[in-house]
Structure formats: structure tokens, C-alpha cells
Amino acid sequence: VHAPVWYIADGCVRPCPEVPARAVALAQALSAMEDIEPGALPVVDPWPAMRAVHDAGYLDYLRTIYDVWTAEFGACDVIPDTFVPRGGGGVRGRIRRPSKPSAQAGYYCFDMAAPIGAETWRAALGSATCACAAARLVWGEAGAGRERAAYALCRPPGHHAGRDYCGGFCYLNNAAIAAEYLRQAGAERVAVVDVDYHHGNGTQDIFYAREDVLFVSLHAEPDTQYPYFWGRAEETGEGAGEGF
């Protein structure tokens, strides 16, 4: 079970709020709603969409870093203390990934709020798979009907995870992966509407130069609210993605 015990915010060690009980509470609330029916999940392969939106080195890092980290430092969650300077679009210029595996933690993370434990990779992969399954239900199978809507109860969340970094309790970007899954399935137009209080910086990063996925985010003022460095009104895309 992916259950981080602590993270660091505002200079303090704090109990991690992103715990299994969140998913349990949501599942209980959904089960009480008469107009929502639990559905059998279709079998999907999230990997083609994951590889399209996430860097291959980053995926390998997420899959292997806990074993590397604990072999060097003992049984503790992966939380970096040294970070690479990065721009809003993830451009590093001349900065190279360090060869030391444990040092890559600060290369692939932008804050201290994404602890990686023994079950984090398995949970994140399951979460992304769930998102793709919901997308498949809405898009429909060949010769089968479509659902009007599907709610994917994904944990851990995803919208702070960029192409090559984690942060904000997010590791794989479930929304971006689902959007890419729909594109690969044949959907011509896909929109991601993010209504979280915090800006979905990772989703913005992934689709910033793409015109085939519209990203719209309603969020708190970034000058005063996390994640601070993304999400201003003038950030409307670049290149083919300008205006999208």
C-alpha cells in the first residue's frame, strides 16, 4: 500500500495527508449515490500513453529508485534534498542527469511532497491504468456502446507530475495519460479541465506545445498558492500549442 508517513512543507516535517483513507472515503461516498453504478473495468494497457507523455528515463527512475535509495540509505522513503534548477517548461539547458542513481531524486522531483515508498510505483501504475480504463469506457470498445461518463478513483493523484518530474504527491499524470490514451484510440479532440484548487502544472507542462489537447485550469492565484511558479494568465501555450 502506498502510504507515505511524512513530507516536508513550509520548513516543517508534516504528516502526509495523501493516504489510503482518502480513496476509501471517496469510494464510500460514491457507493451512496444512486445515479453512479460501479462498472467492470476493461483491460487496458497504459504503457503506450505513459511513454508518450512521460520521459523514458523518468519512468525507469520511478520504477527502480526505492530499491536503489534504501540500499544506500536504509529503509526510508525517497525524499530529495538537492534539486536541479528548472524552467516552467522543464528545460534544463546544459544541466545533465547525475550518474549516481540516488542523486537523480532531485533531478526528477521539484519539491519535498512526493515521497516514494516501497509500493509507490505499483500504486501509481495502477492509478494510471484506472484512468485509462475510464477513458476506454467513455470512448467505447469496437462494436460496443459507450458510457456517458466515467469517474476514475485514482490514487495517488497526478496533475502536478510533469513529463520528467514528480511533486505534490503526484508521480504519473493520470489525466494527461488518459487524454493521450484517447488520442491514440482515435479521438480527434480532447480537453482536460482541471478544477483542483491548485494549478495542474504537470498537465500544462506536458501539453504546452501541443494543439491536439486543450488544457484549461481553474485554480488559486499562483503568487500566493502552491505550486507558485506556474499557472499565470499569460501562460497560453507555445508553438503549435499557443492558445490551447
Side-chain angles (χ1 to χ4, degrees), residues 11-155:
C12 298
V13 175
R14 302 179 184 275
C16 189
E18 210 296 285
V19 293
R22 298 181 73 204
V24 173
L26 285 169
Q28 291 174 342
L30 291 169
S31 67
M33 297 181 180
E34 295 181 357
D35 54 345
I36 294 182
E37 298 179 0
L41 292 181
V43 176
V44 296
D45 179 7
W47 276 98
M50 284 167 49
R51 291 189 180 102
V53 304
H54 287 298
D55 174 75
Y58 173 63
L59 291 174
D60 187 63
Y61 161 82
L62 286 180
R63 185 178 59 83
T64 62
I65 185 58
Y66 181 77
D67 289 340
V68 170
W69 188 271
T70 54
E72 183 173 353
F73 302 119
C76 58
D77 286 352
V78 179
I79 299 182
D81 55 17
T82 305
F83 299 88
V84 61
R86 66 167 73 239
V91 179
R92 293 187 175 85
R94 297 188 303 275
I95 299 174
R96 296 188 300 177
R97 185 180 71 171
S99 59
K100 182 182 180 183
S102 61
Q104 294 171 11
Y107 186 83
Y108 286 125
C109 191
F110 75 89
D111 66 8
M112 304 180 82
I116 296 176
E119 297 298 324
T120 300
W121 166 250
R122 194 159 68 101
L125 179 59
S127 191
T129 304
C130 180
C132 290
R136 170 51 65 183
L137 285 172
V138 174
W139 183 247
E141 302 281 359
R146 302 180 180 184
E147 298 291 340
R148 180 173 178 270
Y151 178 85
L153 179 46
C154 295
R155 182 187 174 267

Side-chain angles (χ1 to χ4, degrees), residues 117-209:
E119 297 298 324
T120 300
W121 166 250
R122 194 159 68 101
L125 179 59
S127 191
T129 304
C130 180
C132 290
R136 170 51 65 183
L137 285 172
V138 174
W139 183 247
E141 302 281 359
R146 302 180 180 184
E147 298 291 340
R148 180 173 178 270
Y151 178 85
L153 179 46
C154 295
R155 182 187 174 267
H159 75 157
H160 293 308
R163 177 169 178 78
D164 58 358
Y165 56 83
C166 55
F169 313 119
C170 301
Y171 308 92
L172 295 175
N173 194 311
N174 306 311
I177 292 167
E180 177 63 26
Y181 184 92
L182 288 169
R183 286 286 296 125
Q184 293 184 9
E188 293 184 4
R189 297 186 302 167
V190 178
V192 177
V193 181
D194 188 332
V195 295
D196 191 285
Y197 179 76
H198 302 109
H199 175 54
N201 58 291
T203 316
Q204 172 176 300
D205 185 3
I206 288 168
F207 295 121
Y208 205 63

Side-chain angles (χ1 to χ4, degrees), residues 212-230:
D212 57 333
V213 176
L214 171 69
F215 176 61
V216 179
S217 179
L218 309 176
H219 53 270
E221 168 58 55
D223 277 334
T224 59
Q225 294 294 329
Y226 181 92
Y228 301 113
F229 306 110
W230 301 271

